Amino acid sequence: MSYIKPFTALRPQAVLAERIAALPYDVMDTGEARAILEKNPLSFLSVTKAEATMAPGVDGHSAEVYQKARENLDAYCAQGQMAEDAEPCFYIYKQKMGSHEQIGLVAAASVEEYRSGKIKKHELTRPDKEDDRVNHIKYTAAQTGAVFLTYKADPAVNALIACIMAKTPPVYDFVADDGIAHTLYVVGAAADIAALEAAFAGIGALYIADGHHRSAAALRVADICRQNNPNHTGEEEYNYFLTVIFPDDMMQILDYNRAVKDLNGLKPEDFITKIKEKFTVEKLDGPAKPAALHVFSMYLGGAWYTLTARPGSVPADDPVAALDVSVLQNNLLAPLLAIKDPRTDQRIHFVGGIRGLGELEKLVDSGAFAVAFALYPTSMKELMAIADMGEIMPPKSTWFEPKLRDAMAVHLIEKEYCK
């Protein structure tokens, strides 16, 4: 049983939605955010990457940055650029990227269901990134970025959402600079809200696709607020976190690739010789993405190669070890390049598949990296099976596209308990 509820979203005025809505804070660095804000000062990056509105060199994790985020959020409201809905609503969020379309429900999900495992995770979090989100939520008293959830597709739920969309005019409908279309519908009718609550009560489990740090931080903030509230009831907004929930058959996972700064003292020819112990190696005429599981593309010394895992090198009885990210890690990155912990090793860099193979070539050709690897995308079936087992996937296993835009709907929590 999945308990979700409507909420009063803080969101942009319709005429400003296209300018305010912004890509998530964690897909760009401060310099990129600063450049976007110079062109478009209304971008919600002023809240999610507030350091980009401050003098260069400021510590992005300092109290003054989080306070600036709060001030910038307040400014949107004071100037009438964003306003909170009068009554709790659900919201339907449709995205279109090329021929791919996905439709999700924007809702507040229970932190207790996350705590109990009904909302299932598949990744570990990093303490520093989790602390950053905790502080951002506490200072702003808001969840500004949604957790990307999924569930095993149910035709009845899809039909219900489609029916509501058909009779509801969108409040936002725009195409962003990157060509991705974003459409938002407000669901405020009591009958529609009740129907959606009942439909999701029949969903067995929700799965975190993206947003492990945001969900973990929401739970920590909820516990802090509970301690600060002598009259805690469990119904306060801090007991819920901002989500967009998509059926699994609409999800699009891209490859999540790797680049390594050096060959761990090996010469390129010796490195290739060692690779052949666990992989067959074929030199290619040019760049090519892997076409199947357990096949990898490698860029080294200006040339592309296909690496295919040899029989027996992939465990048949361990779903986590059989993931391509694990096969590459356990058979090449760790034993040959000494990348023991990819979560903390500074020699490895992760590249979302949206950037293409050209990004891998650029990194290596620049001399900053010695070798790069392109992987076959992890599947939703693999992700959900591992989450169902209570297991954890390796870091940077999935890259979802299109990305949700921040500020389409912000979830406010009780400021007086965010101490």
Side-chain angles (χ1 to χ4, degrees), residues 43-341:
S43 170
F44 202 64
L45 290 170
S46 67
V47 174
T48 56
K49 289 192 78 70
E51 65 271 23
T53 69
M54 302 171 72
V58 66
D59 179 359
H61 298 130
S62 64
E64 61 181 320
V65 168
Y66 299 119
Q67 181 59 40
K68 185 65 173 178
R70 177 73 220 190
E71 293 170 3
N72 291 343
L73 182 62
D74 287 343
Y76 283 112
C77 301
Q79 296 166 19
Q81 296 159 342
M82 297 182 72
E84 188 177 3
D85 285 329
E87 299 293 336
C89 300
F90 285 123
Y91 307 85
I92 296 172
Y93 185 2
K94 181 176 76 172
Q95 296 175 289
K96 187 172 176 60
M97 177 182 177
S99 61
H100 175 77
E101 185 174 278
Q102 58 190 36
I103 300 169
L105 183 71
V106 184
S110 165
V111 297
E112 292 306 319
E113 290 205 342
Y114 169 77
R115 191 196 307 271
S116 70
K118 290 181 181 177
I119 297 176
K120 301 186 178 186
K121 58 188 178 182
H122 65 267
E123 285 186 7
L124 297 174
T125 57
R126 282 176 42 184
D128 58 335
K129 292 185 67 176
E130 198 176 303
D131 289 346
D132 171 59
R133 289 302 90 191
V134 167
N135 287 326
H136 196 273
I137 295 171
K138 284 175 58 181
Y139 273 81
T140 61
Q143 296 154 358
T144 57
V147 177
F148 199 156
L149 297 182
T150 188
Y151 61 97
K152 295 176 181 177
D154 183 326
V157 176
N158 288 353
L160 172 61
I161 291 176
C163 179
I164 294 172
M165 290 171 62
K167 65 181 183 181
T168 307
V171 292
Y172 309 148
D173 191 9
F174 63 89
V175 177
D177 292 342
D178 55 8
I180 297 172
H182 302 266
T183 309
L184 190 79
Y185 304 79
V186 176
V187 184
D192 292 336
I193 289 173
L196 287 166
E197 287 179 321
F200 276 87
I203 298 294
L206 298 174
Y207 300 79
I208 298 174
D210 194 12
H212 285 80
H213 291 92
R214 291 187 286 275
S215 49
L219 175 61
R220 284 177 54 188
V221 172
D223 287 342
I224 292 168
C225 291
R226 177 180 301 165
Q227 293 171 4
N228 292 332
N229 180 8
N231 300 310
H232 170 81
T233 67
E235 294 303 314
E236 297 87 357
E237 290 301 322
Y238 59 70
N239 295 290
Y240 300 88
F241 61 103
L242 178 64
T243 67
V244 187
I245 313 168
F246 294 91
D248 69 325
D249 59 1
M250 290 188 185
M251 303 288 277
Q252 178 175 242
I253 305 180
L254 302 186
D255 41 314
Y256 211 158
N257 302 317
R258 279 90 167 112
V260 180
K261 291 184 177 180
D262 59 72
L263 297 182
N264 193 32
L266 294 169
K267 294 181 179 179
E269 56 271 23
D270 296 331
F271 179 55
I272 290 177
T273 298
K274 288 183 175 293
I275 289 175
K276 290 179 179 179
E277 295 175 9
K278 293 292 182 70
F279 302 87
T280 61
V281 180
E282 177 186 355
K283 192 171 184 178
L284 300 172
D285 294 330
K289 287 190 173 185
L293 280 172
H294 311 327
V295 177
F296 307 84
S297 295
M298 179 178 74
Y299 188 64
L300 174 70
W304 282 96
Y305 300 82
T306 290
L307 314 181
T308 304
R310 292 187 182 277
S313 65
V314 180
D317 56 353
D318 185 338
V320 177
L323 291 169
D324 274 4
V325 289
S326 299
V327 173
L328 184 69
Q329 174 64 31
N330 296 337
N331 292 339
L332 194 157
L333 297 180
L336 302 187
L337 297 180
I339 305 291
K340 302 300 183 183
D341 185 354

